[in-house]
Amino acid sequence: METHIEPKTTVHLSDHEMETIYRIRQCLYWEMDFIGRCRERKKEGIGLCNLPYQTLSEEKKLLDLAYELYNDMEDSNTAYNVTLDLVIDEIEKYIRDNPCWNMESEVDE
């Protein structure tokens, strides 16, 4: 009995396409870290705890703002988790100071 195996083809991507994929994956992994840390802080009672925890993974505008803040604050001399906490503090302050920010989602009490 002879089986026919198709040769595998290699996908060739341009440097720009590879860079785009890398950036998207990097952002997605960062968002998972951000959401996880937000939930840890809520459980531990750290910070203002005023984030929309139920829908946090769907809050694209909030996640984009947090990632932008992270990129602005990122410093090779500061630990990743410290910077992540600083970003969360800033997002919590932003939500506190802009009550209309999250009108579509209720903040989990």
Side-chain angles (χ1 to χ4, degrees):
M1 181 169 159
E2 189 175 315
T3 54
H4 179 68
I5 299 175
E6 290 288 323
K8 293 184 179 184
T9 58
T10 305
V11 177
H12 296 283
L13 299 173
S14 70
D15 288 345
H16 176 72
E17 290 169 322
M18 289 175 54
E19 177 72 17
T20 300
I21 291 168
Y22 173 79
R23 295 286 173 213
I24 291 169
R25 289 184 62 175
Q26 181 180 20
C27 182
L28 290 173
Y29 288 132
W30 184 88
E31 286 177 1
M32 290 186 333
D33 287 348
F34 175 80
I35 292 166
R37 183 61 185 140
C38 288
R39 290 185 175 144
E40 286 173 12
R41 286 168 51 112
K42 167 84 168 141
K43 186 176 178 181
E44 296 168 5
I46 298 170
L48 298 175
C49 299
N50 63 347
L51 299 172
Y53 298 97
Q54 297 289 342
T55 59
L56 194 53
S57 63
E58 300 161 14
E59 301 288 341
K60 189 65 178 151
K61 192 173 174 185
L62 186 142
L63 292 171
D64 287 346
L65 175 61
Y67 191 62
E68 183 179 321
L69 285 171
Y70 171 77
N71 284 320
D72 290 345
M73 294 176 156
E74 187 178 26
D75 180 353
S76 61
N77 294 320
T78 304
Y80 176 75
N81 289 333
V82 171
T83 306
L84 197 57
D85 279 340
L86 292 172
V87 169
I88 295 167
D89 289 341
E90 287 299 314
I91 293 294
E92 288 177 336
K93 288 176 194 171
Y94 186 84
I95 289 173
R96 179 195 63 202
D97 296 341
N98 296 281
C100 294
W101 164 264
N102 199 12
M103 295 180 73
E104 294 179 13
S105 303
E106 264 185 46
V107 175
D108 183 29
E109 297 288 332

